[in-house]
Amino acid sequence: MSSQQAVAEALHQARSVLILSHTNPDGDAVGSALGLMWALRSLRLRAHVALPDPVPANLTFLPGANSVGGQELVDDQDVCVVLDSSSPQHVGDLFEYATARECRVINVDHHVTNVRFGHVNWINPACPAVAQMIYWLLPLLGVSPDPKIATCLLTGFVTDTNGFSTPNTTPRLLHDAAELVTAGAPLADIIREAHLNRSLAQVRLWAQALQSLCFEDGIVWTVNTPAMRRAAGATERDSSGLSTFLLTIREAHMAASFTVLDDGRIRVSLRARPGYDVAAVAARFGGGGHPPAAGATLDGPLDEAVTLVISAMKAQVADYSATVEQP
Ligand code: 5GP
Ligand code: MN
């Protein structure tokens, strides 16, 4: 039996399902979780989505977003599906809380760094989004996508591929996306809501962070602090998207956005052009992700964290240049 079939089998045997995903949930985390929730509910199974952090404002348009909760949704579920999360730490305390009871853990993910923490593990790094894996699961569950399922899953495709712009956007993904549009997913609305939707406070925060833009050896980075967030009326989450924006700078091979969290720790979001590997950089600091997009959280102080991460990035750029320059 393939691991995909093992997941379908475990869900067929379930009585009540709890669906979890990672901290700071993005469109793939929320979209794949709600897509699976609607699919299971169409089979008259009990299913709930619990996340360690609230659904971000740009994803509240998703059908079912208002039903997402936290620990209070942990009940007598016999199956716990963890989506888009490479490790239990990526889910945080909610994972320990949800799995402290007898329940079967199903791990469905596309991170190459996944540590296979489930009783059933289906890991496919070739999929640009976990939402695509959930789409592939539907026929095995005997579900055809309705507009709600299609909207949730297509949102995962759009956000994890940065609007179908990443090099892992395969013909198969575009084909599956077309099928979801046919099933009733409003592509233009999804792109506008999930992807091209920022608050004024967020852009004010970026404006402040960009004042201290640094560039060395093909690496671009910025820092944002609690004081900047206070001045902008922004939250910690408003720094998300900044690293992707920094990598649009033509001269940059890699980008880093450092956020000084309210608790003093330093969160770094990393992006790289094809051929470079920031997942390897993040892994050195206890984080993870994909070669072109990764992240980690370090202890302060800020200057030390910046020095460590930027020198690891410089080493990556130098390694890559050495490989390319070989005859
Ligand atoms: P972002 O920079 O958008 O927060 O994250 C980029 C990618 O790296 C996402 O796939 C995200 O799940 C992953 N990622 C970010 N931070 C961490 C981390 O601390 N640990 C792990 N394992 N993955 C992370
Ligand atoms: Mn994902």
Side-chain angles (χ1 to χ4, degrees):
M1 200 191 324
S2 71
S3 46
Q4 183 177 350
Q5 284 167 331
V7 171
E9 185 82 13
L11 289 171
H12 274 308
Q13 287 164 5
R15 181 176 42 75
S16 176
V17 179
L18 184 68
I19 304 164
L20 306 177
S21 192
H22 58 80
T23 48
N24 288 323
D26 54 19
D28 192 31
V30 184
S32 59
L34 287 172
L36 178 61
M37 180 189 86
W38 290 122
L40 295 174
R41 286 188 181 180
S42 77
L43 296 171
R44 310 214 165 280
L45 261 173
R46 279 170 57 204
H48 289 96
V49 175
L51 297 173
D53 292 307
V55 174
N58 66 319
L59 298 171
T60 52
F61 77 98
L62 285 174
N66 56 6
S67 73
V68 175
Q71 278 194 8
E72 75 287 355
L73 292 179
V74 178
D75 193 1
D76 63 346
Q77 292 96 348
D78 55 336
V79 168
C80 191
V81 184
V82 186
L83 299 176
D84 198 30
S85 308
S86 51
S87 66
Q89 293 74 30
H90 205 183
V91 184
D93 295 344
L94 181 60
F95 178 86
E96 310 303 333
Y97 189 80
T99 57
R101 310 149 306 122
E102 280 287 298
C103 71
R104 229 167 133 61
V105 176
I106 302 181
N107 170 15
V108 179
D109 187 27
H110 66 143
H111 291 91
V112 76
T113 49
N114 191 285
V115 297
R116 308 185 76 86
F117 54 85
H119 298 110
V120 181
N121 299 286
W122 176 28
I123 315 301
N124 188 345
C127 279
V130 169
Q132 187 182 32
M133 301 173 71
I134 301 301
Y135 182 59
W136 292 353
L137 200 59
L138 298 182
L140 301 185
L141 292 174
V143 173
S144 43
D146 62 12
K148 281 194 297 205
I149 298 174
T151 299
C152 294
L153 297 183
L154 190 59
T155 298
F157 291 18
V158 165
T159 55
D160 259 25
T161 61
N162 194 22
F164 299 113
S165 72
T166 53
N168 61 356
T169 303
T170 54
R172 177 73 194 268
L173 187 84
L174 294 171
H175 175 266
D176 292 349
E179 289 187 345
L180 291 173
V181 173
T182 305
L187 177 62
D189 292 350
I190 290 172
I191 291 180
R192 193 191 61 248
E193 292 280 352
H195 197 53
L196 303 175
N197 175 358
R198 299 194 166 98
S199 68
L200 182 60
Q202 180 171 36
V203 178
R204 284 192 165 134
L205 177 68
W206 289 20
Q208 294 207 51
L210 289 170
Q211 286 185 14
S212 62
L213 186 74
C214 299
F215 181 82
E216 278 174 29
D217 301 347
I219 296 161
V220 64
W221 73 97
T222 61
V223 167
N224 70 89
T225 63
M228 290 181 192
R229 289 196 290 277
R230 273 195 299 278
T235 64
E236 282 178 353
R237 284 224 199 161
D238 286 321
S239 60
S240 129
L242 188 48
S243 55
T244 301
F245 174 70
L246 291 176
L247 198 67
T248 63
I249 295 173
R250 198 179 301 135
E251 291 81 358
H253 302 307
M254 290 186 184
S257 159
F258 294 88
T259 299
V260 183
L261 300 174
D262 293 334
D263 66 12
R265 288 179 308 153
I266 315 296
R267 157 142 189 80
V268 63
S269 170
L270 303 169
R271 295 292 182 269
R273 291 200 189 277
Y276 296 95
D277 182 3
V278 282
V281 174
R284 284 185 51 177
F285 303 102
H290 310 283
T297 302
L298 292 83
D299 290 329
L302 174 67
D303 291 352
E304 206 171 290
V306 171
T307 306
L308 285 170
V309 173
I310 298 300
S311 51
M313 292 172 87
K314 285 184 180 173
Q316 271 284 322
V317 172
D319 278 359
Y320 178 73
S321 308
T323 321
V324 172
E325 278 157 22
Q326 254 161 37

